[in-house]
Amino acid sequence: MALKINQSLVNKENASQLIAVCPFNAIEEQDGIMSIGAGCRLCKLCVNKGPKGVITWEDEKKQELDKSEWVGIAVFVERRNETVHPVTLELIGKARELTEVTGHPVYAIAIGCGMDDIARELLHYGVDKVFVYDDAALDMFSISPYTSAFYDFIQRVKPSSVLVGATNIGRSLAPRVAARCKTGLTADCTMLKMRENTDLVQIRPAFGGNIMAQIVTSNARPQFCTVRYKVFAALRRSEQAQGEIVCMNVTAKMLKSGTEVLDAVKKPAEIDISEAEVIVAVGRGLKSANDMNMIQELAELLGARIAGTRPMIEAGWLDPKRQIGLSGRTVKPRLIIAIGISGAVQFTAGMKGADCIVAINSDENASIFEVAHYGLVGDLYEIVPLLIAGIKEGKYVL
Amino acid sequence: MEIIVCVKQVPGTSQVEVDPVTGVLKRDGVDSKLNPYDLFALELAYSLCEKYGGRVRTLSMGPPQAKAALLETLYMGADSAVLLSDRKFAGADVAATSYTLKCGIEQMGEYDLILCGKQTTDGDTAQVGPEMAEMLGIEHAANVCEILEVTDKEITVCLNLDDKLQFQRMQLPCLLSVEKDINTPRLPSYKRMCKVNADGERVAVLTFEELSGAELARCGLKGSPTQVERIFPPEKNADKQMLHGSSAQLSDALGALLKERKFI
Ligand SMILES: Cc1cc2nc3c(=O)[nH]c(=O)nc-3n(C[C@H](O)[C@H](O)[C@H](O)COP(=O)(O)OP(=O)(O)OC[C@H]3O[C@@H](n4cnc5c(N)ncnc54)[C@H](O)[C@@H]3O)c2cc1C
Ligand SMILES: Nc1ncnc2c1ncn2[C@@H]1O[C@H](COP(=O)(O)O)[C@@H](O)[C@H]1O
C-alpha cells in the first residue's frame, strides 16, 4: 500500500494545489517531476482532497522486496573527544567480517563538523568508503539535522544493513532514522551473522538476559541494529590507508530543526570501568567494608580496576559507577577475577564478554562457574591473601 | 500544559526462563507491574502540571490487564487514561508499537508534551519514544536529565550524551524520554484511589476499530518489520576448567596462570 504519483498528469497548476493541500509540506515539484518526501505521514489528503488522479492510493499488492538493490553494510561514525568513538571501530571490524559472506562493501557515515581527520583515520580500519556530511551546523548533535543527513545517505547509497553504536546518541538517532525508513531496528545485539541472501541475523538478550532472541528483518531494508560498546573487537590499525572519502552535500533543508542547541559541557571525568583491561570484581562473599583493603592491594598489583555486584553498591562499599551488570556497566576486559560473586544473570550479562574469566567462590554450585573459564572452589579469605603474598615475593615464574 | 505519558505494564520479575526443550517461554503465574522507568516520566509530568497547570493523561498499549497499570497512574494523579487493546496489536515490535501508540496519541487530541520512560524492563530497547516522535513529526530528546525552562511555546532541557551534558531549547509539542533517578516518584495515594473509584475510573479502552485512521498492515505481528525466528537459553561456557584443592594449591595455580598470561 503506497501513494503513487502519476507523473504524466502533473502540471504547474495541480502541483501547486497538491503542495498547498499537504499539511506536512511533503510534496515537491521540480521541472514537472513531483516527489513525496519523508515528511509524508500517509494522511492521504492529497488523494482525497487534491486534484483527482494525480496522486493515487495503490492498495494491497505488496511489492516483493528486491534485496539486490540494497548493497553494503554501513556503520555510523560517532565522535568522542574529537576522535572516533571506539565502538565505531568495533562495528567496522564486525562489518568487515560479515561482508565476507556477501562480498559487499563496508561504508562509514560520518556526520559532524571538521570530520577530515576522523574520516582519514577510518581508512586504516577496513572501510571501503567514508561518506561525510560536514557542516558547522552539524558540530553538535541535534536530532533533526542528523536524522535528515543519515536518511539522505540511506536514500542515495541504499545499504543493506546499518550498524549503530548503542551509545546515548546512537540509541536516539537509530530509531528515528529507522522509523523514517519504515524499517525494523534491533537494539543491543550481542551476536550478528550474515546470510548469503543478505539477511542479517541479529541475536540479543531479552527479558533481562534470561533468554536470547534471534531476530531478522527479512522483508524490509535497510536492516538496522544497535550494538553496545565492547561487544565486538576492532581490527588492528593497518599502516596503509585504503578506501575513499566521499563528501556529501549538506542542504539547508537538512539543517531545518525545531531544536536549538545552546551549549554542551564535558561531564567531570568519571570512574570508567567499561574501559578497563583488567578488573577485580567483588560480591557479597566479602564480609566487611574493611576487606576492601585486601582487594585494593590485589587490584594494584594487577593494575586492575575494582568493580562489583549490585549489593556492594547498595551497601555503599563501592561507587555506583563500578557496578557491573544489567543495571550497571558492560565490561569486556582481557581478564576479570570474580571474587565472592554468585553469578546472577543480571551480573553476568555485563561481563560475559571478557576474554578470561576467573571465579573464586566457596560454593561449587555457584552459577558464576558456568561462565568462568577458570573456577577456583575455595575460600577467598585464604586464596586472595596467599596470592597477594606470592605476587609480592615474585613466587610465580614461568 | 497538556502532557501525555506513555507507560507500559511489564512482568513483575525478570526471572523469566525458557524451556530448553520446547523453546517456549515459561511465564506461568508471573505477576505484572508498571515499568519502573516510567515512574520518573510520570513524576515529571505531575510536577510540571503542578507548576504550570494543565493535565496529565496516560497511554498504554497492551492486553486488557494492562488497565491495572493505568489505574495506578490515576491514583498517583493522572487525569484520565487510554488503553489500546486488541488482539490485532499483539506481537508488535518497536515499529508496530510506536505506530499504534502514535495513532492513539493523534486520537487523544491536542498535547504539548509526550513523556516516555528511558526504557522498559522487558522490551529493554529505549526505542519506542524516538520512533513515535518521528512518526508524529515532532522533535524528541532522549536521556533527558533536567528541565530548565518552560514557556508556552518551548521547553529547555539538559540531556546526557554519555561524556557530555547538552542543553537545548525545543519547540512544543515535543517528546522527551526521561533518565532514571531524575526525581523521586510519588506513590499512588489512597485518597486519590478512593476518589477515582467513587468518580468512576476514567480509563478508555480502545480497540483497533475504534482507532481512527490506523492501518492494520502496520499493527501487531503483521506490521512488525523485525521477526523473532527463535528464542533460546544463553549458552553456558563449555571449555571451563574447575580447580579444586587446598587454598595454597589454588592460589599457586592462579598465580601461575596470571604469570603465563602476562598479567603479573
Ligand atoms: C532487574 C534487576 C537488575 C539487576 N541488575 C544487577 C546488576 O546490574 N548487577 C548486579 O551485580 N546485580 C544485579 N541484580 C542483582 C542480582 O540479581 C544479584 O542479586 C546480585 O548480582 C548478587 O550479588 P552477589 O553475587 O555479590 O551476592 P550473592 O548472590 O549473595 O553471592 C555471594 C557469593 O559469595 C560466595 N561466598 C561467600 N563467602 C565466600 C568466601 N569466604 N569465599 C568465597 N566465596 C564466598 C557465596 O558462595 C555466594 O555465591 C539485579 C537484579 C534485578 C532484579
Ligand atoms: N506498549 C507500550 N505502551 C505504552 N508505552 C510504551 C509501550 N512500550 C514502550 N512504551 C514507552 O516507551 C518507552 C521505551 O520503551 P522500550 O523501547 O520498550 O524500551 C517506555 O518507557 C514507555 O514510556
Side-chain angles (χ1 to χ4, degrees), chain B residues 53-122:
Chain B
R55 185 162 74 128
V56 176
R57 289 175 293 163
T58 51
L59 169 67
S60 190
M61 179 191 87
Q65 57 268 32
K67 192 174 168 186
L70 289 172
L71 280 175
E72 213 176 304
T73 69
L74 298 188
Y75 302 155
M76 288 178 211
D79 183 79
S80 60
V82 174
L83 174 64
L84 309 175
S85 195
D86 195 307
R87 283 178 60 173
K88 298 193 172 91
F89 302 146
D93 71 352
V94 173
T97 302
S98 308
Y99 174 76
T100 310
L101 290 172
K102 169 226 154 189
C103 295
I105 288 170
E106 284 174 343
Q107 190 134 329
M108 288 167 84
E110 297 283 303
Y111 59 87
D112 299 303
L113 201 57
I114 299 171
L115 297 180
C116 285
K118 176 191 166 88
Q119 64 195 62
T120 53
T121 52
D122 61 344

Side-chain angles (χ1 to χ4, degrees), chain A residues 90-372:
Chain A
E90 294 169 5
L91 294 182
I92 290 172
K94 188 68 190 182
R96 198 70 275 167
E97 182 191 316
L98 292 170
T99 54
E100 281 167 21
V101 180
T102 51
H104 280 191
V106 174
Y107 302 135
I109 161 168
I111 304 172
C113 173
M115 302 297 280
D116 291 3
D117 290 347
I118 286 179
R120 269 199 300 275
E121 180 63 14
L122 291 175
L123 299 181
H124 294 273
Y125 286 91
V127 289
D128 295 296
K129 282 184 185 177
V130 185
F131 294 85
V132 184
Y133 289 83
D134 202 306
D135 194 283
L138 295 170
D139 191 26
M140 292 202 261
F141 174 68
S142 179
I143 192 68
S144 292
Y146 270 58
T147 304
S148 300
F150 207 138
Y151 184 68
D152 181 76
F153 161 78
I154 302 236
Q155 280 188 308
R156 288 172 197 279
V157 180
K158 294 190 135 200
S160 176
S161 300
V162 180
L163 317 184
V164 180
T167 58
N168 282 1
I169 285 181
R171 283 170 152 238
S172 180
L173 181 61
R176 186 107 200 180
V177 182
R180 193 164 292 184
C181 297
K182 302 205 165 56
T183 185
L185 165 58
T186 308
D188 286 343
C189 298
T190 53
M191 271 186 270
L192 293 174
K193 290 178 203 154
M194 185 58 76
R195 293 197 174 135
E196 276 172 25
N197 70 354
T198 73
D199 279 358
L200 183 66
V201 180
Q202 306 155 109
I203 296 171
R204 72 168 305 229
F207 295 102
N210 293 276
I211 293 167
M212 304 302 286
Q214 176 171 323
I215 296 166
V216 291
T217 315
S218 54
N219 294 316
R221 289 291 183 272
Q223 315 165 79
F224 270 83
C225 68
T226 61
V227 179
R228 286 207 204 181
Y229 180 27
K230 297 257 173 184
V231 169
F232 298 132
L235 293 175
R236 282 258 295 280
R237 187 183 192 276
S238 69
E239 276 308 310
Q240 205 113 54
Q242 241 169 41
E244 66 175 298
I245 296 173
V246 185
C247 290
M248 304 297 278
N249 198 13
V250 179
T251 63
K253 203 172 153 212
M254 275 180 207
L255 299 177
K256 244 185 83 186
S257 169
T259 296
E260 184 193 347
V261 179
L262 306 170
D263 195 13
V265 295
K266 268 221 171 70
K267 283 204 281 183
E270 288 184 351
I271 312 153
D272 193 1
I273 56 166
S274 61
E275 300 280 347
E277 295 265 299
V278 183
I279 292 177
V280 174
V282 289
R284 248 198 327 219
L286 229 55
K287 300 287 178 292
S288 85
N290 246 347
D291 302 335
M292 285 306 295
N293 295 337
M294 162 178 92
I295 300 302
Q296 183 74 43
E297 193 173 1
L298 177 62
E300 273 165 24
L301 290 170
L302 296 174
R305 301 264 171 89
I306 296 176
T309 61
R310 193 159 80 175
M312 308 308 286
I313 278 79
E314 282 166 354
W317 296 0
L318 287 178
D319 186 285
K321 294 186 190 76
R322 296 190 189 268
Q323 180 182 326
I324 292 177
L326 206 59
S327 44
R329 302 294 160 105
T330 304
V331 296
K332 198 169 181 290
R334 288 196 297 130
L335 169 72
I336 182 167
I337 307 182
I339 302 175
I341 291 175
S342 62
V345 283
Q346 292 88 358
F347 172 79
T348 57
M351 48 70 79
K352 272 188 306 208
D355 293 344
C356 178
I357 302 172
V358 175
I360 304 176
N361 196 308
S362 48
D363 172 9
E364 84 176 294
N365 296 318
S367 44
I368 190 70
F369 290 133
E370 284 168 17
V371 297

